[in-house]
Coordinates of all heavy atoms in Angstrom, one line a residue:
M1 N 0.8 -1.2 0.0 CA 0.0 0.0 0.0 C 0.9 1.3 0.0 O 1.8 1.4 0.8 CB -0.9 0.0 1.3 CG -2.1 0.8 1.2 SD -3.2 0.4 2.5 CE -4.1 1.8 2.6
A2 N 0.6 2.2 -0.9 CA 1.4 3.4 -1.0 C 1.1 4.4 0.1 O 0.0 4.4 0.6 CB 1.2 4.0 -2.4
S3 N 2.1 5.2 0.5 CA 1.9 6.2 1.5 C 1.0 7.3 1.0 O 1.0 7.6 -0.2 CB 3.2 6.8 2.0 OG 3.8 7.4 0.9
R4 N 0.2 8.0 1.9 CA -0.7 9.0 1.4 C 0.1 10.4 1.2 O -0.4 11.2 0.4 CB -1.8 9.2 2.5 CG -2.8 8.1 2.5 CD -3.8 8.3 3.6 NE -4.7 9.5 3.2 CZ -5.7 9.8 3.9 NH1 -6.1 9.2 4.9 NH2 -6.4 10.8 3.5
Y5 N 1.1 10.6 2.0 CA 1.9 11.8 1.9 C 3.3 11.6 1.5 O 3.9 10.6 1.9 CB 1.9 12.5 3.3 CG 0.5 12.9 3.8 CD1 -0.3 12.0 4.6 CD2 -0.1 14.1 3.5 CE1 -1.5 12.3 5.0 CE2 -1.4 14.4 3.9 CZ -2.1 13.5 4.7 OH -3.3 13.8 5.1
G6 N 3.8 12.5 0.7 CA 5.2 12.4 0.2 C 6.2 13.0 1.2 O 5.9 13.6 2.2
K7 N 7.5 13.0 0.7 CA 8.6 13.5 1.5 C 8.4 15.1 1.7 O 8.7 15.6 2.8 CB 9.9 13.2 0.9 CG 10.3 11.8 1.0 CD 11.7 11.6 0.3 CE 12.1 10.2 0.3 NZ 13.3 9.9 -0.4
T8 N 8.0 15.7 0.7 CA 7.8 17.2 0.7 C 6.8 17.6 1.8 O 7.1 18.5 2.6 CB 7.3 17.7 -0.6 OG1 8.2 17.3 -1.6 CG2 7.3 19.3 -0.6
A9 N 5.7 16.8 1.9 CA 4.7 17.1 2.9 C 5.2 16.9 4.3 O 5.0 17.7 5.2 CB 3.5 16.2 2.7
K10 N 6.0 15.8 4.4 CA 6.6 15.5 5.7 C 7.5 16.6 6.2 O 7.4 17.1 7.4 CB 7.3 14.2 5.6 CG 7.9 13.7 6.9 CD 8.6 12.3 6.7 CE 9.2 11.8 8.0 NZ 9.9 10.5 7.8
R11 N 8.3 17.1 5.3 CA 9.3 18.2 5.7 C 8.6 19.5 6.0 O 8.9 20.2 6.9 CB 10.3 18.4 4.5 CG 11.4 17.3 4.5 CD 12.5 17.8 3.5 NE 13.0 16.6 2.9 CZ 12.9 16.2 1.6 NH1 12.2 16.9 0.8 NH2 13.4 15.1 1.2
K12 N 7.6 19.8 5.2 CA 6.9 21.1 5.4 C 6.1 21.1 6.7 O 6.1 22.1 7.4 CB 5.9 21.4 4.2 CG 6.6 21.6 2.9 CD 7.1 22.9 2.7 CE 7.7 23.2 1.3 NZ 8.3 24.5 1.1
V13 N 5.5 20.0 7.0 CA 4.7 19.9 8.2 C 5.7 19.9 9.4 O 5.4 20.6 10.4 CB 3.8 18.6 8.3 CG1 3.2 18.4 9.6 CG2 2.7 18.7 7.2
A14 N 6.8 19.2 9.3 CA 7.8 19.2 10.4 C 8.3 20.6 10.6 O 8.4 21.1 11.8 CB 8.9 18.3 10.1
R15 N 8.6 21.4 9.6 CA 9.0 22.8 9.7 C 8.0 23.7 10.4 O 8.3 24.4 11.2 CB 9.4 23.3 8.3 CG 10.1 24.7 8.4 CD 9.9 25.4 7.1 NE 8.6 25.6 6.6 CZ 7.7 26.5 7.1 NH1 8.0 27.3 8.1 NH2 6.5 26.5 6.6
A16 N 6.8 23.5 9.9 CA 5.7 24.3 10.5 C 5.5 24.0 12.0 O 5.3 24.9 12.8 CB 4.4 24.0 9.8
M17 N 5.6 22.7 12.4 CA 5.4 22.3 13.8 C 6.6 22.9 14.6 O 6.4 23.4 15.7 CB 5.4 20.8 13.9 CG 4.1 20.2 13.3 SD 2.6 20.8 14.1 CE 2.7 19.8 15.6
H18 N 7.8 22.9 14.0 CA 9.0 23.4 14.7 C 8.8 24.9 14.9 O 9.1 25.4 16.0 CB 10.2 23.1 13.9 CG 11.5 23.5 14.5 ND1 12.1 22.7 15.5 CD2 12.3 24.6 14.4 CE1 13.2 23.3 15.9 NE2 13.4 24.4 15.2
E19 N 8.3 25.6 13.9 CA 8.1 27.1 14.0 C 7.0 27.4 15.1 O 7.1 28.3 15.8 CB 7.7 27.7 12.7 CG 8.9 27.9 11.8 CD 8.5 28.7 10.5 OE1 7.5 29.4 10.5 OE2 9.3 28.5 9.5
R20 N 6.0 26.5 15.1 CA 4.9 26.7 16.1 C 5.4 26.6 17.5 O 5.1 27.4 18.4 CB 3.8 25.7 15.8 CG 2.6 25.9 16.8 CD 1.6 24.8 16.7 NE 2.1 23.5 17.2 CZ 1.9 23.1 18.5 NH1 1.2 23.8 19.3 NH2 2.4 21.9 18.9
K21 N 6.2 25.6 17.7 CA 6.8 25.4 19.0 C 7.7 26.5 19.5 O 7.8 26.9 20.6 CB 7.6 24.1 19.1 CG 6.8 22.8 19.0 CD 6.2 22.4 20.3 CE 7.1 21.5 21.0 NZ 6.5 21.0 22.2
A22 N 8.4 27.1 18.5 CA 9.3 28.2 18.7 C 8.5 29.5 18.9 O 9.0 30.6 19.4 CB 10.3 28.4 17.6
G23 N 7.2 29.5 18.4 CA 6.4 30.7 18.5 C 6.6 31.7 17.4 O 6.3 32.9 17.5
T24 N 7.1 31.2 16.3 CA 7.4 32.1 15.1 C 6.5 31.8 13.9 O 6.6 32.5 12.9 CB 8.9 32.0 14.7 OG1 9.1 30.6 14.3 CG2 9.8 32.4 15.8
L25 N 5.6 30.8 14.0 CA 4.7 30.5 12.9 C 3.6 31.5 12.8 O 2.9 31.8 13.9 CB 4.2 29.1 13.0 CG 3.3 28.6 11.9 CD1 4.1 28.5 10.6 CD2 2.7 27.2 12.2
R26 N 3.4 32.1 11.7 CA 2.3 33.1 11.5 C 1.3 32.6 10.4 O 1.7 31.9 9.5 CB 2.9 34.4 11.0 CG 4.0 35.0 11.9 CD 3.4 35.8 12.9 NE 4.4 36.2 13.9 CZ 4.1 37.0 15.0 NH1 2.8 37.4 15.2 NH2 5.0 37.3 15.9
S27 N 0.1 33.0 10.6 CA -1.0 32.6 9.6 C -0.8 33.6 8.4 O -0.4 34.7 8.6 CB -2.4 32.7 10.2 OG -2.7 34.0 10.4
G28 N -1.3 33.1 7.3 CA -1.1 33.8 6.0 C -2.0 35.1 5.9 O -1.5 36.1 5.6
G29 N -3.2 35.0 6.2 CA -4.2 36.1 6.0 C -4.0 37.2 7.0 O -3.7 38.3 6.6
S30 N -4.0 36.9 8.3 CA -4.0 38.0 9.3 C -2.6 38.3 9.8 O -2.3 39.3 10.4 CB -4.9 37.6 10.5 OG -4.4 36.4 11.1
G31 N -1.7 37.3 9.7 CA -0.3 37.4 10.2 C -0.2 37.2 11.7 O 0.8 37.5 12.3
R32 N -1.3 36.7 12.3 CA -1.3 36.4 13.7 C -0.5 35.1 14.0 O -0.3 34.3 13.2 CB -2.7 36.1 14.2 CG -3.6 37.3 14.3 CD -4.9 37.0 15.0 NE -5.6 38.2 15.2 CZ -6.9 38.2 15.6 NH1 -7.6 37.1 15.7 NH2 -7.5 39.4 15.8
R33 N 0.0 35.0 15.3 CA 0.8 33.9 15.6 C -0.1 32.6 15.8 O -1.2 32.7 16.3 CB 1.5 34.1 17.0 CG 2.5 33.0 17.3 CD 3.2 33.2 18.6 NE 3.4 34.6 19.1 CZ 3.1 35.0 20.3 NH1 2.7 34.1 21.2 NH2 3.3 36.2 20.6
V34 N 0.4 31.5 15.2 CA -0.4 30.3 15.2 C 0.0 29.5 16.5 O 1.2 29.2 16.7 CB -0.1 29.4 14.0 CG1 -0.7 28.1 14.1 CG2 -0.6 30.2 12.8
T35 N -1.0 29.1 17.3 CA -0.7 28.3 18.5 C -1.4 26.9 18.4 O -1.0 26.0 19.1 CB -1.2 29.0 19.7 OG1 -2.6 29.2 19.6 CG2 -0.5 30.2 20.0
S36 N -2.3 26.8 17.4 CA -3.0 25.5 17.3 C -2.2 24.5 16.5 O -1.6 24.8 15.4 CB -4.3 25.8 16.5 OG -4.9 24.6 16.1
R37 N -2.1 23.3 17.0 CA -1.4 22.2 16.4 C -2.0 21.8 15.0 O -1.4 21.7 14.0 CB -1.5 20.9 17.3 CG -0.6 19.8 16.9 CD -0.7 18.7 17.9 NE -0.7 17.4 17.2 CZ -1.8 16.8 16.8 NH1 -3.0 17.3 17.0 NH2 -1.7 15.6 16.2
K38 N -3.4 21.8 15.0 CA -4.1 21.5 13.8 C -3.8 22.5 12.7 O -3.7 22.2 11.5 CB -5.6 21.4 14.0 CG -6.0 20.1 14.7 CD -7.5 20.0 14.8 CE -7.9 18.7 15.4 NZ -9.4 18.6 15.5
Q39 N -3.8 23.8 13.1 CA -3.6 24.9 12.1 C -2.2 24.8 11.6 O -1.9 25.0 10.4 CB -3.9 26.2 12.7 CG -4.0 27.3 11.7 CD -4.3 28.7 12.3 OE1 -4.6 28.8 13.5 NE2 -4.4 29.7 11.5
A40 N -1.2 24.4 12.4 CA 0.2 24.3 12.0 C 0.3 23.2 10.9 O 1.0 23.4 9.9 CB 1.1 24.0 13.2
I41 N -0.4 22.1 11.2 CA -0.3 21.0 10.2 C -1.0 21.4 8.9 O -0.5 21.1 7.8 CB -1.1 19.7 10.8 CG1 -0.3 19.2 12.0 CG2 -1.3 18.7 9.7 CD1 -1.0 18.1 12.8
A42 N -2.1 22.1 9.0 CA -2.8 22.6 7.8 C -1.9 23.5 7.0 O -1.9 23.5 5.7 CB -4.1 23.3 8.2
I43 N -1.2 24.4 7.7 CA -0.3 25.3 7.0 C 0.8 24.5 6.3 O 1.2 24.8 5.1 CB 0.3 26.4 8.0 CG1 -0.7 27.3 8.4 CG2 1.5 27.1 7.3 CD1 -0.4 28.2 9.5
G44 N 1.4 23.5 6.9 CA 2.5 22.7 6.3 C 2.0 22.0 5.1 O 2.6 21.9 4.1
L45 N 0.8 21.4 5.2 CA 0.2 20.7 4.1 C -0.1 21.6 2.9 O 0.1 21.3 1.7 CB -1.1 19.9 4.5 CG -0.8 18.7 5.4 CD1 -2.2 18.1 5.8 CD2 0.1 17.7 4.8
S46 N -0.6 22.8 3.2 CA -0.9 23.8 2.2 C 0.4 24.2 1.4 O 0.4 24.3 0.2 CB -1.5 25.0 2.8 OG -1.8 26.0 1.9
E47 N 1.4 24.4 2.2 CA 2.7 24.7 1.5 C 3.2 23.6 0.7 O 3.8 23.8 -0.4 CB 3.8 25.1 2.6 CG 3.5 26.4 3.3 CD 4.4 26.7 4.4 OE1 5.3 25.9 4.7 OE2 4.3 27.8 5.0
A48 N 3.0 22.3 1.2 CA 3.5 21.2 0.4 C 2.7 21.1 -0.9 O 3.2 20.7 -1.9 CB 3.3 19.9 1.2
R49 N 1.4 21.4 -0.9 CA 0.5 21.4 -2.1 C 1.1 22.4 -3.1 O 1.2 22.1 -4.3 CB -0.9 21.7 -1.7 CG -1.7 20.6 -1.3 CD -3.2 20.9 -1.2 NE -3.9 19.8 -0.5 CZ -4.1 19.8 0.8 NH1 -3.7 20.9 1.5 NH2 -4.7 18.8 1.4
K50 N 1.4 23.6 -2.6 CA 1.9 24.6 -3.5 C 3.2 24.2 -4.1 O 3.6 24.6 -5.2 CB 2.0 26.0 -2.7 CG 0.7 26.6 -2.4 CD 0.8 27.9 -1.6 CE -0.5 28.4 -1.2 NZ -0.4 29.5 -0.2
A51 N 4.0 23.5 -3.3 CA 5.4 23.1 -3.8 C 5.2 21.8 -4.7 O 6.2 21.4 -5.3 CB 6.3 22.7 -2.6
G52 N 4.0 21.3 -4.9 CA 3.8 20.2 -5.8 C 4.1 18.8 -5.2 O 4.3 17.9 -5.9
G53 N 4.0 18.8 -3.9 CA 4.3 17.5 -3.2 C 3.0 16.6 -3.2 O 2.0 17.0 -3.6
K54 N 3.3 15.4 -2.8 CA 2.2 14.4 -2.8 C 1.4 14.5 -1.5 O 1.8 14.2 -0.5 CB 2.8 13.0 -2.9 CG 1.7 11.9 -2.9 CD 2.4 10.5 -2.9 CE 1.3 9.4 -2.7 NZ 2.0 8.1 -2.4
V55 N 0.2 15.2 -1.7 CA -0.7 15.4 -0.6 C -2.1 15.2 -1.1 O -2.5 15.6 -2.2 CB -0.6 16.9 -0.1 CG1 -1.5 17.1 1.1 CG2 0.8 17.3 0.2
P56 N -2.9 14.4 -0.3 CA -4.3 14.2 -0.8 C -5.1 15.5 -0.9 O -4.8 16.5 -0.3 CB -4.9 13.3 0.3 CG -3.8 12.7 1.1 CD -2.7 13.7 0.9
R57 N -6.2 15.5 -1.7 CA -7.0 16.6 -1.9 C -7.6 17.0 -0.5 O -7.8 16.2 0.3 CB -8.1 16.4 -2.9 CG -7.7 16.3 -4.3 CD -8.8 16.0 -5.2 NE -9.7 17.2 -5.2 CZ -10.9 17.2 -5.8 NH1 -11.3 16.2 -6.5 NH2 -11.7 18.3 -5.7
K58 N -8.0 18.3 -0.4 CA -8.7 18.7 0.8 C -10.0 18.0 0.8 O -10.6 17.7 -0.2 CB -8.9 20.2 0.8 CG -7.7 21.1 1.0 CD -8.0 22.5 1.0 CE -6.8 23.4 1.1 NZ -7.1 24.8 1.0
S59 N -10.6 17.8 2.0 CA -11.9 17.1 2.1 C -13.0 18.0 1.5 O -12.9 19.3 1.6 CB -12.2 16.8 3.6 OG -12.5 17.9 4.3
S60 N -14.0 17.4 1.0 CA -15.1 18.2 0.4 C -15.8 19.1 1.4 O -16.2 20.2 1.1 CB -16.1 17.3 -0.3 OG -16.6 16.4 0.6
K61 N -15.8 18.6 2.7 CA -16.4 19.3 3.8 C -15.7 20.7 4.0 O -16.3 21.7 4.1 CB -16.4 18.5 5.0 CG -17.5 18.8 6.0 CD -17.4 18.0 7.2 CE -18.0 16.6 7.0 NZ -18.1 15.8 8.3
S62 N -14.4 20.6 4.1 CA -13.6 21.9 4.3 C -13.7 22.8 3.1 O -13.7 24.0 3.3 CB -12.2 21.6 4.7 OG -11.5 21.0 3.6
R63 N -13.7 22.2 1.9 CA -13.8 23.1 0.7 C -15.1 23.8 0.6 O -15.1 25.0 0.3 CB -13.6 22.2 -0.5 CG -12.1 22.0 -0.9 CD -11.9 21.3 -2.2 NE -12.2 19.9 -2.0 CZ -12.8 19.1 -2.9 NH1 -13.1 19.6 -4.0 NH2 -13.0 17.9 -2.6
T64 N -16.2 23.2 0.9 CA -17.5 23.8 0.9 C -17.6 24.9 2.0 O -18.2 25.9 1.8 CB -18.7 22.8 1.0 OG1 -18.5 22.0 2.1 CG2 -18.8 21.9 -0.3
A65 N -17.1 24.6 3.1 CA -17.1 25.6 4.2 C -16.3 26.8 3.8 O -16.7 28.0 4.1 CB -16.5 25.0 5.5
A66 N -15.2 26.6 3.2 CA -14.4 27.8 2.7 C -15.1 28.6 1.7 O -15.1 29.8 1.7 CB -13.0 27.3 2.1
Q67 N -15.8 27.9 0.8 CA -16.6 28.6 -0.3 C -17.7 29.4 0.4 O -18.0 30.5 0.0 CB -17.2 27.6 -1.3 CG -16.1 27.0 -2.2 CD -16.6 25.9 -3.0 OE1 -17.7 25.4 -2.8 NE2 -15.9 25.5 -4.0
R68 N -18.4 28.8 1.4 CA -19.5 29.5 2.1 C -18.9 30.8 2.8 O -19.5 31.8 2.7 CB -20.1 28.6 3.2 CG -21.5 28.3 2.9 CD -22.1 27.5 4.0 NE -21.9 26.1 3.8 CZ -21.2 25.3 4.7 NH1 -20.8 25.8 5.8 NH2 -21.0 24.0 4.4
G69 N -17.8 30.7 3.4 CA -17.2 31.9 4.0 C -16.8 32.9 3.0 O -17.0 34.1 3.3
R70 N -16.4 32.5 1.8 CA -16.0 33.5 0.8 C -17.2 34.2 0.3 O -17.2 35.4 0.1 CB -15.3 32.7 -0.3 CG -14.3 33.5 -1.1 CD -13.6 32.8 -2.2 NE -14.1 31.5 -2.4 CZ -13.3 30.3 -2.5 NH1 -12.1 30.4 -2.2 NH2 -13.9 29.2 -2.8
R71 N -18.4 33.5 0.2 CA -19.6 34.1 -0.3 C -20.1 35.1 0.7 O -20.5 36.2 0.3 CB -20.7 33.0 -0.4 CG -20.7 32.4 -1.8 CD -21.9 31.6 -2.1 NE -21.5 30.4 -2.6 CZ -21.7 29.2 -2.1 NH1 -22.4 29.0 -1.0 NH2 -21.3 28.1 -2.7
K72 N -20.0 34.8 2.0 CA -20.4 35.8 3.0 C -19.6 37.1 3.0 O -20.2 38.1 3.0 CB -20.3 35.1 4.4 CG -21.3 34.1 4.7 CD -21.1 33.6 6.1 CE -22.1 32.5 6.4 NZ -21.9 31.8 7.7
T73 N -18.3 37.0 2.8 CA -17.5 38.2 2.8 C -17.8 39.0 1.5 O -17.9 40.3 1.6 CB -16.0 37.9 2.8 OG1 -15.7 37.0 1.8 CG2 -15.6 37.2 4.1
T74 N -18.0 38.4 0.4 CA -18.3 39.2 -0.8 C -19.7 39.8 -0.7 O -19.8 41.0 -1.1 CB -18.2 38.3 -2.1 OG1 -19.0 37.2 -1.9 CG2 -16.8 37.9 -2.3
S75 N -20.6 39.1 -0.2 CA -22.0 39.7 0.0 C -22.0 40.9 1.0 O -22.7 41.9 0.8 CB -23.0 38.7 0.3 OG -22.8 38.1 1.6
A76 N -21.2 40.7 2.0 CA -21.0 41.8 3.0 C -20.4 43.0 2.4 O -20.8 44.2 2.7 CB -20.2 41.3 4.2
K77 N -19.4 42.8 1.6 CA -18.8 43.9 0.9 C -19.8 44.7 0.0 O -19.8 45.9 -0.1 CB -17.6 43.5 0.0 CG -16.4 43.1 0.9 CD -15.3 42.6 0.0 CE -14.1 42.2 0.8 NZ -13.0 41.6 0.0
R78 N -20.6 43.9 -0.7 CA -21.6 44.5 -1.6 C -22.6 45.3 -0.9 O -22.9 46.4 -1.3 CB -22.3 43.4 -2.4 CG -21.8 43.2 -3.8 CD -22.7 42.3 -4.6 NE -22.0 41.1 -4.8 CZ -22.5 39.9 -4.4 NH1 -23.7 39.8 -3.9 NH2 -21.8 38.8 -4.6
K79 N -23.0 44.8 0.3 CA -24.0 45.6 1.1 C -23.4 46.9 1.6 O -24.1 47.9 1.7 CB -24.5 44.7 2.3 CG -25.4 43.6 1.9 CD -25.8 42.8 3.0 CE -26.7 41.6 2.6 NZ -27.0 40.7 3.7
S80 N -22.1 46.8 2.1 CA -21.5 48.0 2.6 C -21.2 49.1 1.6 O -21.1 50.3 1.9 CB -20.2 47.7 3.4 OG -19.3 47.2 2.4
S81 N -21.1 48.7 0.3 CA -20.8 49.6 -0.7 C -22.0 50.4 -1.3 O -21.9 51.4 -2.0 CB -20.1 48.9 -1.9 OG -21.0 48.0 -2.5
R82 N -23.2 49.9 -0.8 CA -24.4 50.6 -1.3 C -24.7 51.9 -0.7 O -24.3 52.4 0.3 CB -25.6 49.7 -1.0 CG -25.6 48.5 -2.0 CD -26.8 47.7 -1.7 NE -26.8 46.5 -2.5 CZ -27.6 45.5 -2.4 NH1 -28.6 45.6 -1.6 NH2 -27.5 44.4 -3.2

């Protein structure tokens, strides 16, 4: 049985976890310090995806939630511009 994650993913997640422990890992959007273990793993996997590493697709549940959030922000912008 083949592994689900490649070497790139392993390295990126390890680096993100190391930075989180040191207190230097920052989130992309807001630039706030990341303290959550799950968020650090997500950042590492996201970077591995961008680098072209072997990483499974995001779950459909998280993708639809992200799309829902994006819709809310754009509709809020439209309302405020009126």
Side-chain angles (χ1 to χ4, degrees):
M1 200 164 157
S3 62
R4 288 181 69 174
Y5 298 92
K7 287 180 185 176
T8 306
K10 185 178 178 180
R11 282 192 213 109
K12 296 279 187 184
V13 170
R15 185 203 56 79
M17 293 299 282
H18 185 80
E19 281 188 22
R20 180 189 70 94
K21 290 280 271 186
T24 58
L25 183 64
R26 304 270 172 183
S27 72
S30 62
R32 287 186 173 169
R33 188 179 332 134
V34 172
T35 56
S36 166
R37 186 177 144 271
K38 284 185 176 182
Q39 193 175 359
I41 292 169
I43 289 169
L45 291 177
S46 176
E47 288 175 0
R49 273 190 194 94
K50 287 176 186 169
K54 182 184 171 189
V55 184
R57 288 182 63 185
K58 290 182 183 179
S59 70
S60 61
K61 206 181 279 187
S62 66
R63 276 186 282 147
T64 54
Q67 287 171 349
R68 240 183 278 120
R70 209 175 11 232
R71 270 192 228 120
K72 283 180 185 175
T73 55
T74 53
S75 63
K77 284 179 186 174
R78 258 189 255 124
K79 285 179 184 175
S80 65
S81 64
R82 289 182 184 174

